[in-house]
Amino acid sequence: MRTIIEPFRIKSVEPLRMTTRDERERLLREAGFNPFLLPSDAVIIDLLTDSGTSAMSAEQWAAMMRGDEAYAGSRSWYRFEAAVKDIFGFDIVMPVHQGRAAERILFSTLCKPGDVVPNNTHFDTTRANVEATGATALDLVIAEGRDPTSRHPFKGNLDVDRLRAVLAEHRGRVPVCMLTLTNNSGGGQPVSMANARAVSALCREFGVPFYIDACRYAENAWFIKMREEGYSDKRPIDIARELFALADGCTMSAKKDGLANIGGFLATRDERLATRERDLLILTEGFTTYGGLAGRDLDAIATGLYEALDEDYLRYRIRSVVWLGERLLEAGVPIMEPPGGHAVYLDARRFLSHVAPRDLPGQSLVVELYREAGIRAVEIGTVMFGRPDPATGEEGVAPLDLVRLAIPRRVYTQSHVEYVVEAVTNVWHRRDAVRGMRFTYQAPTLRHFTARFASL
Ligand code: F0G
């Protein structure tokens, strides 16, 4: 059969409330034109994020009923620890309530002012947690990764030559180097095994710990299976094991490829480091066998980490995202090519080519998608990563202005995605009438969450 179907059927449904254009117009104004400030009840198709929004399986719900809520040493914890060790191969596992807690514990243990942390591209919380320690976050993705039209199969790869130069220049001041799988801020693009191997070897040469941001490890493993020579016969779980064997540790948000609604972990092979990290874990997350999670959450994750590696699931997952990307390309809509693993990213700079980058084309496009059809997306560009110049107040623009249509896992059907295609195409046809935006309020860090805007 050529048709790839959702490899599941639906047992429980959640009604969607339809809104009118007038209602959406009023809600947009009340939300300061920031979709983060909209009530989800007024969103028809929610593509804000693939994080924590997965539909859990019957097996996961059953696992939740087995959850053991003991404060210390619960059965759920042992199942969680066993699953993480089996797939990721690290001896030491610390549960956390979500990915950024792992980041905070890792970076506040390792980094100090003046340090430099390289990554292919830091995600927003990763960058913020590095910068909160006084260290500098450096994005070293390959040049193709910044070119929305390049069809390079592994656009998430880190530029190894630039990494070598950074490690040589900042010798002794690089406490950790990271690779984000897949590269979320750069379009959900995968990293190849060869690149992970090269980064790992270089880190070893310079004595720098190598960590993986593992959020979308299963989707990245699928791309390696599909695109990298020598991997087509390997199982995703074996590809994942091979990847993590290259690393000294990882941070993980189980809200993505853990197929869970909350949770994550920090893992390492370094007992001395872990001793310091556990103190921080207990201080704010909780005891070392639950880390801010209920026993039932640990069980849902232990099950979800394996389900995310299922080949039928991954084939459907990646194909359904590509399908959305292909329909948009057919309609002439500029997107980050090729489509990523968890999302299609509209290229707002080409989509609204008459809006200058400092006039926030990504934000304008996000607003139009909601206005048009009640679709919520997120800007990944100047709003998220730009900074006003301290002297002039002039907006410093990000390398790309993207609008991410993130696809929650196992949640929407093909007709939902067809609705999205129609909405984006409608906005594309009336794009010349869309105006830019400006900030009316912004917080000093992670400004995109709470910012407010006005139309120009
Ligand atoms: N790293 C990456 C690559 C991420 O995409 C995220 C979250 C995190 C770390 C932090 O994890 O949210 O569990 O604290 N990304 C979400 C998103 C929020 O929408 O892409 P968290």
Side-chain angles (χ1 to χ4, degrees), residues 355-410:
V355 177
R358 66 170 186 284
D359 296 335
L360 314 177
Q363 194 63 26
S364 303
L365 188 48
V366 161
V367 166
E368 286 312 317
L369 292 177
Y370 182 73
R371 187 174 268 147
E372 178 71 25
I375 296 167
R376 177 156 67 171
V378 69
E379 195 259 18
I380 298 200
T382 297
V383 172
M384 193 178 274
F385 292 115
R387 295 271 191 289
D389 185 309
T392 61
E394 180 106 344
E395 203 46 64
V397 302
L400 294 168
D401 277 300
L402 303 174
V403 168
R404 185 182 71 172
L405 308 174
I407 312 296
R409 294 170 181 79
R410 305 190 294 208

Side-chain angles (χ1 to χ4, degrees), residues 49 98-100 103 123 125 180 184 213 216 253 256 404:
T49 178
Q98 61 182 86
R100 67 198 68 180
E103 293 167 355
F123 189 62
T125 59
T180 304
N184 187 10
D213 178 335
R216 298 176 179 87
S253 167
K256 286 82 170 173
R404 185 182 71 172

Side-chain angles (χ1 to χ4, degrees), residues 67-303:
D68 172 2
E69 305 304 338
Y71 189 95
S74 75
R75 288 189 298 274
S76 302
W77 153 250
Y78 288 112
R79 286 190 283 261
F80 174 92
E81 187 192 32
V84 175
K85 284 185 171 177
D86 180 35
I87 299 168
F88 299 84
F90 300 108
D91 317 328
I92 303 165
V93 182
M94 284 162 268
V96 293
H97 80 279
Q98 61 182 86
R100 67 198 68 180
E103 293 167 355
R104 190 187 61 81
I105 291 170
L106 176 70
F107 297 131
S108 58
T109 308
L110 285 179
C111 301
K112 57 182 188 314
D115 283 349
V116 170
V117 178
N119 199 324
N120 44 358
T121 314
H122 289 84
F123 189 62
D124 60 352
T125 59
T126 326
R127 170 171 288 278
N129 274 298
V130 168
E131 291 174 350
T133 69
T136 301
L138 275 187
D139 292 341
L140 300 180
V141 74
I142 55 171
E144 291 89 338
R146 293 177 206 269
D147 172 3
T149 60
S150 159
R151 282 251 160 195
H152 191 289
F154 291 103
K155 285 174 84 165
N157 282 353
L158 190 145
D159 186 329
V160 179
D161 293 337
R162 288 181 63 205
L163 178 62
R164 176 176 285 283
V166 166
L167 293 177
E169 184 188 340
H170 301 281
R171 210 178 270 273
R173 285 192 292 132
V174 182
V176 58
C177 170
M178 287 194 93
L179 260 185
T180 304
L181 312 182
T182 55
N183 187 23
N184 187 10
S185 312
Q189 303 291 333
V191 174
S192 70
M193 187 71 79
N195 189 249
R197 212 177 285 124
V199 171
S200 169
L202 203 49
C203 286
R204 203 134 297 162
E205 184 185 327
F206 284 84
V208 169
F210 168 45
Y211 271 64
I212 293 177
D213 178 335
C215 295
R216 298 176 179 87
Y217 71 101
E219 290 166 3
N220 202 101
W222 186 256
F223 281 115
I224 290 175
K225 183 175 168 69
M226 291 296 113
R227 296 182 184 171
E228 192 160 353
E229 212 181 309
Y231 288 93
S232 60
D233 294 335
K234 298 224 161 105
R235 296 182 306 161
I237 193 168
D238 294 324
I239 297 175
R241 285 175 180 146
E242 189 178 330
L243 267 171
F244 290 100
L246 297 167
D248 297 297
C250 78
T251 57
M252 172 73 183
S253 167
K255 301 173 74 172
K256 286 82 170 173
D257 277 349
L259 291 168
N261 302 122
I262 196 73
F265 56 86
L266 171 61
T268 173
R269 308 184 203 281
D270 182 341
E271 184 53 51
R272 273 187 37 212
L273 179 66
T275 304
R276 289 159 62 206
E277 290 174 339
R278 282 196 197 99
D279 292 342
L280 283 176
L281 182 75
I282 295 171
L283 190 63
T284 55
E285 290 290 291
F287 187 58
T288 54
T289 64
Y290 74 88
L293 296 170
R296 55 181 169 269
D297 298 323
L298 294 167
D299 264 310
I301 297 166
T303 305

